[in-house]
Amino acid sequence: MPFYYAYYILLLVPVIMLICIPFAKMDSMQGEGTEEETVKPLYTKNTLLAYAAIIIACAAYSAVVNTIGLYTSSFAESLGISQSTSAFMLTVYNIGCFAGSIVFVIILKKANVQKVLLVNCICALTAIETALFINKIPVYFAGLFFAGFFLGVLFSVIVTIATRIGYKHISVASSLVATAGGASDILTPIVTGFLVGRLGVGFSFHYAAIMIIISIIAAAVLKMSTAEKEKI
């Protein structure tokens, strides 16, 4: 597929956003006159453990996203793909993120956020590991799309979980998530640069998979230590 087709695909993004704007305005108008929605508490068996789990999940998630953004093009070129096509591989991942975010707007109205965090991490890991195992260029494109599909919405999910855990101090909970994500943004290029320099660019996706595994463990701990009802 020629590289310039990527621009036509990206053109669909603002078009879809423009189409969705009237619906957003309708929802806003329907919400006028109603009481402001409050944060629904997420009750914990151990608040410290729950905070630790969500902070670790956030840091690991940020590491995954940064690693994919930093090394996808270089990884693709190491497979013998041209520079133009390798850039399109990252575009496919971003399109997956966008598509997943739209779909999960609907799913999250009904689904448990802790379960979404856990299941999406597992699905993203499966997509990346499948691509690495088969090791075929078309499969990498598909794997990155599906990884993006399940990863794209997770930062919003993490923020939601953090604010629900700290519903009495929402600003503090949000700040903790922002700090964890920011620290990961700073450290990831340093850590991955060191590892890739010694193990090769191919290790970047394995590093992303390791970070997703850490996110899965944190999400599992979070799922077991929280509940929708106060008596747990």
Side-chain angles (χ1 to χ4, degrees):
M1 180 182 292
F3 176 64
Y4 58 80
Y5 283 151
Y7 293 98
Y8 293 105
I9 294 174
L10 288 176
L11 180 63
L12 293 174
V13 175
V15 171
I16 293 172
M17 292 176 69
L18 287 172
I19 293 172
C20 292
I21 286 174
F23 296 99
K25 288 183 177 180
M26 290 173 59
D27 290 340
S28 177
M29 292 174 63
Q30 290 174 358
E32 291 180 359
T34 61
E35 294 182 358
E36 185 179 354
E37 185 178 359
T38 58
V39 175
K40 184 180 178 182
L42 189 61
Y43 300 102
T44 63
K45 296 178 180 178
N46 186 319
T47 303
L48 185 60
L49 179 62
Y51 269 124
I54 196 64
I55 288 171
I56 292 171
C58 180
Y61 167 77
S62 296
V64 173
V65 173
N66 284 321
T67 300
I68 291 174
L70 285 169
Y71 291 104
T72 294
S73 295
S74 299
F75 178 78
E77 289 179 33
S78 73
L79 299 174
I81 300 174
S82 65
Q83 289 184 342
S84 59
T85 305
S86 65
F88 185 57
M89 183 178 284
L90 182 59
T91 300
V92 169
Y93 166 78
N94 289 327
I95 292 172
C97 290
F98 177 76
S101 297
I102 292 175
V103 171
F104 278 95
V105 166
I106 300 171
I107 293 175
L108 285 168
K109 291 181 179 180
K110 300 292 184 180
N112 180 294
V113 286
Q114 305 98 295
K115 186 179 293 184
V116 168
L117 177 61
L118 179 59
V119 172
N120 280 30
C121 286
I122 293 172
C123 291
L125 177 65
T126 302
I128 290 176
E129 287 294 340
T130 300
L132 289 170
F133 178 76
I134 297 176
N135 197 31
K136 299 291 184 181
I137 291 174
V139 180
Y140 279 115
F141 277 94
L144 280 169
F145 175 84
F146 285 109
F149 184 88
F150 291 105
L151 289 173
V153 74
L154 290 189
F155 186 76
S156 297
V157 170
I158 289 169
V159 172
T160 300
I161 294 172
T163 53
R164 289 186 62 190
I165 292 171
Y167 63 95
K168 294 181 180 178
H169 304 284
I170 294 175
S171 59
V172 174
S174 301
S175 297
L176 287 172
V177 170
T179 301
S184 182
D185 292 342
I186 294 170
L187 292 174
T188 296
I190 299 172
V191 175
T192 54
F194 175 83
L195 294 173
V196 168
R198 284 155 179 77
L199 301 175
V201 71
F203 183 75
S204 58
F205 273 34
H206 292 287
Y207 179 81
I210 292 169
M211 290 298 103
I212 296 177
I213 291 171
I214 293 174
S215 294
I216 290 172
I217 295 170
V221 171
L222 192 66
K223 183 71 173 65
M224 291 185 292
S225 62
T226 58
E228 299 292 332
K229 297 180 180 180
E230 188 169 5
K231 292 183 180 180
I232 57 177

